[in-house]
């Protein structure tokens, strides 16, 4: 099987409205699955609730259990982050039904480089 390694993109270049694809393993017996979504522009109130300590990429992709830690790609096929968590509070005041939080790949890259140096 010929496989190609993933290419890191630049998560600082991600903008609201960008499309993305999440890869995960949501259920036993089903090897891999994908969901797609759009990068959301969060208002200040929701950002404070959902993004308390770190900057995340917020998306309406329905990331469920089994996707955590899975790669997230832009439409160019570049990895822009890792699926992290879903925001589960009431979203009825917003124009989306689901809010997933994605760790930006630039932050992941910094952690990997620091670990290699140590």
């Amino acid at each position: 099987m010929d496989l190609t390694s993933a290419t890191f993109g630049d998560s600082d270049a991600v903008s609201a409205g960008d499309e993305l694809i999440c890869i995960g393993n949501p259920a036993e017996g089903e090897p891999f699955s994908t969901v797609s979504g759009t990068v959301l522009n969060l208002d200040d109130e929701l950002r404070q609730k959902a993004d308390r300590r770190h900057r995340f990429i917020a998306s309406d992709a329905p990331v469920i259990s089994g996707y955590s830690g899975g790669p997230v790609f832009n439409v160019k096929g570049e990895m822009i982050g890792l699926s992290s968590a879903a925001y589960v509070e009431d979203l009825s005041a917003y124009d989306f039904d689901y809010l997933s939080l994605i760790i930006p790949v630039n932050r992941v890259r910094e952690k990997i480089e620091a670990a290699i140096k140590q």
Side-chain angles (χ1 to χ4, degrees), residues 4-100:
T4 303
S5 61
T7 302
F8 282 171
D10 180 3
S11 53
D12 289 339
V14 174
S15 299
D18 289 353
E19 294 179 40
L20 49 79
I21 300 125
C22 306
I23 298 177
N25 190 14
E28 285 187 37
E30 294 184 31
F32 292 101
S33 181
T34 62
V35 294
S36 60
T38 303
V39 176
L40 300 171
N41 185 17
L42 301 182
D43 67 24
D44 290 339
E45 180 183 345
L46 188 56
R47 182 163 295 286
Q48 286 177 349
K49 289 180 183 179
D51 191 4
R52 293 184 192 118
R53 293 180 15 207
H54 302 292
R55 185 180 91 72
F56 287 95
I57 298 168
S59 172
D60 63 357
V63 175
I64 59 173
S65 179
Y67 280 90
S68 296
V72 178
F73 296 91
N74 62 20
V75 294
K76 295 183 215 173
E78 301 167 327
M79 187 175 142
I80 57 166
L82 295 175
S83 296
S84 175
Y87 185 77
V88 293
E89 290 191 25
D90 182 19
L91 296 170
S92 60
Y94 300 95
D95 291 336
F96 46 89
D97 297 324
Y98 207 91
L99 174 61
S100 60

Side-chain angles (χ1 to χ4, degrees), residues 98-118:
Y98 207 91
L99 174 61
S100 60
L101 301 176
I102 299 162
I103 301 168
V105 76
N106 292 2
R107 208 166 94 212
V108 173
R109 189 179 345 206
E110 288 171 7
K111 299 292 184 186
I112 291 170
E113 289 170 356
I116 290 171
K117 287 180 182 176
Q118 292 180 1

